[in-house]
Amino acid sequence: MTRKDILRLLRDPDAEELRKRAEKALLAAKGSHVHVRGLIEFSNICRRNCLYCGLRAQNSALRRYRLSQEEILAAAAGAIAQGADSIVLQSGEGSCDPAWLAEVVAELKKHEGIAITLSVGEGQARDYALWRNAGASRYLIKHETASPALYARLHPGHKLGERIRALLALRDLGYEIGSGFMIGLPGQKLEDLAGDIALCRALRVDMCGAGPFIPQADTPLAGEACGSVALTLRALSVLRLALPWANLPATTALASLDPEKGQTAGLMAGANVLMPSFTPPRAAVQYRIYDHKNRVGMANAVRAIEKAGRSHGLRPR
Ligand code: 5AD
Ligand code: SF4
């Protein structure tokens, strides 16, 4: 499947036909099961200044927090008790001491059969290795946009190549790698989206999270328009056809633009992962990546999976 093929699929006028093809590919490659990850947004501290993100270092309107090790472990235990099969520890970049995070990972590893995923931005190779040795087995680091020009504009002082090299370094250390990108970024073209999907396919990523761009009031992109829900669902279906092996989440951003049906529609378009948040509510309100962020909890996840007619292994309380 070339970038041209991908572009043709993205342009396919029959959205329902595309969705059905993706659903068939999903069931054939991955089955009906939806994986549920417990997301813990343990710190909103970040050293970078991505133009689109409310956690950017220059945003002084945000009260910064970092959960304690005890708070993280308690949140994780709650997620696991409810049937989460993996814990995702997420924060801005450079939010904490690497050795401190390695201790958290090692403690979490005591829960048998639970995979630990890190989503803490670009770091030193020795820290990736430290966390890997502590027991983390997956790493999410979205490429955000595969257009080198758009990437440079949105990430002052950074290049797309560095991002791709980080993904490859993580894979070399034995991590399963997850990338992802935003849909509807200011200045993004459909050709760019085809490039995003082609890049994920070329990298053979294990996971790919694609969600709509949503402006945040305290960022330079505050006045821009949201990404389209319809285009996000279409991109999910094309991702499923282009990367049949991959785990694809229905993102929280999608659920934020369409709280009623977003997650269900994402699953029906080809997604097979949900990531409900177990961040303590007092912290979660400060994890303001974009405006009107929906809080997707375990109950929402169960409802979305059942509405989509799929299966899960959850034990909701
Ligand atoms: N809209 C949608 N997604 C965003 N992210 C950051 N800012 C926004 C936004 N304004 C996503 C990025 C990043 C993750 C932390 O959240 O893809 O990887
Ligand atoms: Fe920091 Fe990630 Fe937000 Fe960029 S997208 S400012 S790296 S939290």
Side-chain angles (χ1 to χ4, degrees):
M1 198 186 279
T2 65
R3 187 170 154 164
K4 260 201 183 137
D5 300 325
I6 291 170
L7 187 57
R8 203 170 313 122
L9 284 171
L10 282 171
R11 286 200 174 119
D12 190 341
D14 192 340
E16 180 55 16
E17 174 63 25
L18 175 67
R19 188 196 71 75
K20 281 190 184 143
R21 273 183 68 194
E23 193 169 46
K24 232 170 127 185
L26 163 72
L27 293 175
K30 310 291 282 182
S32 150
H33 186 80
V34 178
H35 301 283
V36 176
R37 325 297 196 197
L39 175 65
I40 302 171
E41 295 140 321
F42 70 87
S43 175
N44 65 356
I45 296 169
C46 187
R47 66 179 166 217
R48 284 176 75 141
N49 273 301
C50 308
L51 259 53
Y52 44 81
C53 177
L55 306 194
R56 62 203 309 275
Q58 285 169 10
N59 178 13
S60 55
L62 194 66
R63 188 141 39 83
R64 305 284 170 167
Y65 71 85
R66 181 169 50 232
L67 300 184
S68 69
Q69 292 185 332
E70 292 71 27
E71 287 171 311
I72 298 171
L73 295 172
I80 293 165
Q82 291 185 54
D85 56 20
S86 167
I87 294 295
V88 181
L89 298 178
Q90 187 173 78
S91 74
E93 188 172 293
S95 69
C96 65
D97 170 32
W100 174 92
L101 184 57
E103 285 171 17
V104 176
V105 170
E107 274 303 311
L108 283 174
K109 265 323 274 182
K110 295 181 181 166
H111 293 276
E112 237 165 273
I114 299 295
I116 297 164
T117 304
L118 295 179
S119 174
V120 299
E122 288 176 44
Q124 304 276 338
R126 64 166 183 272
D127 296 331
Y128 297 155
L130 176 73
W131 300 326
R132 181 82 189 93
N133 289 332
S137 57
R138 304 175 183 168
Y139 206 106
L140 306 180
I141 191 158
K142 298 190 185 187
H143 73 264
E144 311 292 4
T145 172
S147 153
L150 188 54
Y151 189 95
R153 211 178 321 141
L154 295 173
H155 306 98
H158 293 280
K159 285 192 174 143
L160 177 64
E162 299 162 7
R163 202 71 172 168
I164 295 173
R165 277 194 293 280
L167 278 161
L168 296 175
L170 287 159
R171 158 157 313 146
D172 278 348
L173 284 166
Y175 283 101
E176 281 183 33
I177 55 169
S179 188
F181 54 91
M182 279 174 282
I183 292 154
L185 286 164
Q188 187 183 47
K189 299 194 178 64
L190 205 61
E191 285 78 2
D192 298 324
L193 278 181
D196 286 316
I197 297 173
L199 175 62
C200 289
R201 182 175 156 83
L203 292 172
R204 300 197 64 83
V205 296
D206 303 285
M207 298 164 269
C208 179
F213 161 72
I214 306 174
Q216 209 274 6
D218 304 308
T219 66
L221 302 185
E224 302 289 341
C226 288
S228 135
V229 170
L231 184 57
T232 301
L233 294 173
R234 191 178 277 252
L236 261 174
S237 291
V238 178
L239 269 170
R240 176 54 66 201
L241 295 172
L243 290 72
W245 64 83
N247 285 328
L248 304 178
T251 60
T252 306
L254 181 58
S256 298
L257 285 188
D258 184 351
E260 198 48 47
K261 305 181 298 309
Q263 301 255 293
T264 305
L267 293 174
M268 292 179 67
N272 68 327
V273 175
L274 293 179
M275 293 173 52
S277 167
F278 288 85
T279 309
R282 277 212 347 261
V285 295
Q286 297 299 331
Y287 206 77
R288 271 185 268 157
I289 296 182
Y290 44 80
D291 290 336
H292 313 292
K293 189 161 176 276
N294 193 353
R295 194 174 155 73
V296 176
M298 196 57 120
N300 308 84
V302 174
R303 216 172 306 128
I305 296 168
E306 290 176 352
K307 266 208 222 154
R310 305 270 287 283
S311 56
H312 60 76
L314 300 171
R315 301 180 288 278
R317 280 185 296 207

